[in-house]
Structure formats: structure tokens, C-alpha cells
Amino acid sequence: SQQGEEDPQALSIQEGENATMNCSYKTSINNLQWYRQNSGRGLVHLILIRSNEREKHSGRLRVTLDTSKKSSSLLITASRAADTASYFCATGSMDSSYKLIFGSGTRLLVRP
Amino acid sequence: DTAVSQTPKYLVTQMGNDKSIKCEQNLGHDTMYWYKQDSKKFLKIMFSYNNKELIINETVPNRFSPKSPDKAHLNLHINSLELGDSAVYFCASSQVRGLSKETQYFGPGTRLLVL
């Protein structure tokens, strides 16, 4: 079954507002990654947070990881119309080097 | 200077046909993957190759056969195409270091439509 579940499935906000997406997973992980997919395109890596980290920043992105709750959140601050995309979390279990399991994705619409 | 490239970008074919999708990466990575993304955007791993060796083979019908002639290429051949094979297929690559799951780099996708 799918490892990651994302919440909400869809999010519509006004440009300038912040967007928060959540991801929950089931097994112990090595790291958790967030990817963005623009319509009709491939996935692009945004940020990676390791299991011993609690928070990480990259530009307007802030990711948190709570391994006790098996959850992560992605915050996009001061959103722009260009942030409109689907956002996926991806996790891998500790026992396999090669496998990332992707969540179901959050579709973000930023209205200009 | 495309890092991960796939051909073709679009593929429209009849049920029962055999088709191939090609993938190449110029990142020097040792691991490549095929994913299938369905109409609900659900992305699922199909295969993974590490240094030309099959590592992951999820419960994919044996009509799907990956081939890795060298570590920069991972092709996907599909026999006897079915309507349910219609999806977007993504190739990806990464450099695996021990049990650390590093960033994966994705190709632009191949949109397959089976009629």
C-alpha cells in the first residue's frame, strides 16, 4: 500500500499567502523528500530532510519532520502564481537503499 | 544539457501492440528507475536497476521488460499493450550511497495512450 498520504488533496490560496501541506507515512525512514510536479512535466526535487533532523529551510520552503508522529509538513511562504503545481512527499524504509515511495500528492493552486 | 531524457514524449498505439520507451541519463548515476503515474497522479515504482543489475521489480506484469544496456540507459519494453497500460511513465536516476536514499532526478515523462 502507499507509504505516504498527503493532506490536503487540493489547496487553493491567494498569491502572497502561505501554503502548508502535510504528509504522513507508516514505516521507519532514512529521509523524507519533497518534490514538485508542474502540469505535464516530470518531478523536480525540492528538499530532503534526514531522519535526525527536525526542520530544514530552503528559500521560501520550510520542511518539518516529526518521526514520533511519522509526519512531515511543507510550508511555502509568500506564495506566487508560479508555485502552482502538485507537491509530493517521498519516503524510503530503512531496509532498502533503492526504493522511494511517493505520497498521493497535494495539488496547489495559487491565484494571482 | 538534459539530465534525464526520455523518448518518445507521446505514444499513441493500439491494444495488443508492442512498444518501447527509452531513457538516458548523463549525470553519471549508478541507479535508474521506472515509475508509472496513473490518471489520479498516483506515482508507483515499477523497476530499479543498479549498475545494470535489476534491484527492484514490483508486482508488474511480465509484459513489461526493462533492459539496461549500460548504467546510463534504462529502456522499457511493453508487450501486448492493454487499455490499463495508459499512463505517464517516468524514468529517474539517482546516486545511491549505502542505505541513504538520495535525490532522484526525473525525466519529462512519456505519455502512453492505448486505444
Side-chain angles (χ1 to χ4, degrees), chain A residues 31 33 35 40 93 96-98, chain B residues 33 37 58 98 101 104 111:
Chain A
N31 64 43
Q33 303 177 33
Y35 288 78
S93 64
S96 170
S97 302
Y98 304 98
Chain B
Y33 311 81
Q37 187 174 45
E58 293 294 290
K101 283 149 242 328
Q104 292 189 10
R111 284 141 192 85

Side-chain angles (χ1 to χ4, degrees), chain A residues 53-66:
Chain A
E53 296 176 310
R54 292 296 165 258
E55 188 171 311
K56 201 160 183 182
H57 296 253
S58 176
R60 292 184 296 112
L61 305 180
R62 174 179 165 249
V63 169
T64 62
L65 179 64
D66 187 337

Side-chain angles (χ1 to χ4, degrees), chain A residues 6-93:
Chain A
E6 290 178 61
D7 167 55
Q9 288 188 330
L11 181 59
S12 178
I13 60 173
Q14 202 70 36
E15 202 166 28
E17 292 179 342
N18 295 342
T20 300
M21 290 158 259
N22 302 296
C23 168
S24 60
Y25 58 91
K26 296 177 183 172
T27 62
S28 296
I29 61 170
N30 178 278
N31 64 43
L32 185 145
Q33 303 177 33
W34 284 90
Y35 288 78
R36 183 185 73 214
Q37 184 180 31
N38 288 83
S39 181
R41 310 290 284 272
L43 280 76
V44 175
H45 180 260
L46 293 176
I47 196 165
L48 180 155
I49 185 166
R50 302 202 182 274
S51 58
N52 61 354
E53 296 176 310
R54 292 296 165 258
E55 188 171 311
K56 201 160 183 182
H57 296 253
S58 176
R60 292 184 296 112
L61 305 180
R62 174 179 165 249
V63 169
T64 62
L65 179 64
D66 187 337
T67 53
S68 66
K69 294 181 179 177
K70 291 187 167 59
S71 67
S72 174
S73 68
L74 171 68
L75 169 68
I76 304 174
T77 59
S79 64
R80 304 167 182 167
D83 295 329
T84 294
S86 291
Y87 292 82
F88 294 87
C89 68
T91 60
S93 64

